[in-house]
């Protein structure tokens, strides 16, 4: 029941408000170099891929130790 309630609250309030704020359904893009980890800027698809790979590996390791 909580999951269904969260869906009925989240979709109309949060997502609809966000879509109207960005003026409709369009591609949401983040300018290159926005995300930085220390001195390293995540500004290419390759860097995003490797960052995602590292995060997935960390999550798998964390789940394996539980």
């Amino acid at each position: 029941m909580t999951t269904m309630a969260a869906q009925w609250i989240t979709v109309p309030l949060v997502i609809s408000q966000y879509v109207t704020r960005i003026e409709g359904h369009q591609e949401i893009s983040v300018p290159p170099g926005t995300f930085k980890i220390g001195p390293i800027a995540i500004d290419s698809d390759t860097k995003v891929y490797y960052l995602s790979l590292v995060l997935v590996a960390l999550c798998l390791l964390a789940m394996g130790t539980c």
Side-chain angles (χ1 to χ4, degrees):
M1 293 300 288
T2 305
T3 304
M4 287 177 56
Q7 177 186 359
W8 287 104
I9 292 170
T10 304
V11 172
L13 294 178
V14 177
I15 295 175
S16 297
Q17 293 298 321
Y18 180 72
V19 168
T20 57
R21 185 176 297 161
I22 62 169
E23 299 175 0
H25 294 283
Q26 55 185 324
E27 183 178 335
I28 301 170
S29 62
V30 177
T34 301
F35 297 112
K36 292 184 179 183
I37 300 174
I40 302 170
I42 309 300
D43 56 358
S44 69
D45 289 339
T46 306
K47 289 182 181 180
V48 170
Y49 171 77
Y50 285 119
L51 175 64
S52 301
L53 190 66
V54 167
L55 292 176
V56 167
L58 289 174
C59 287
L60 289 173
L61 285 172
M63 294 303 294
T65 59
C66 292

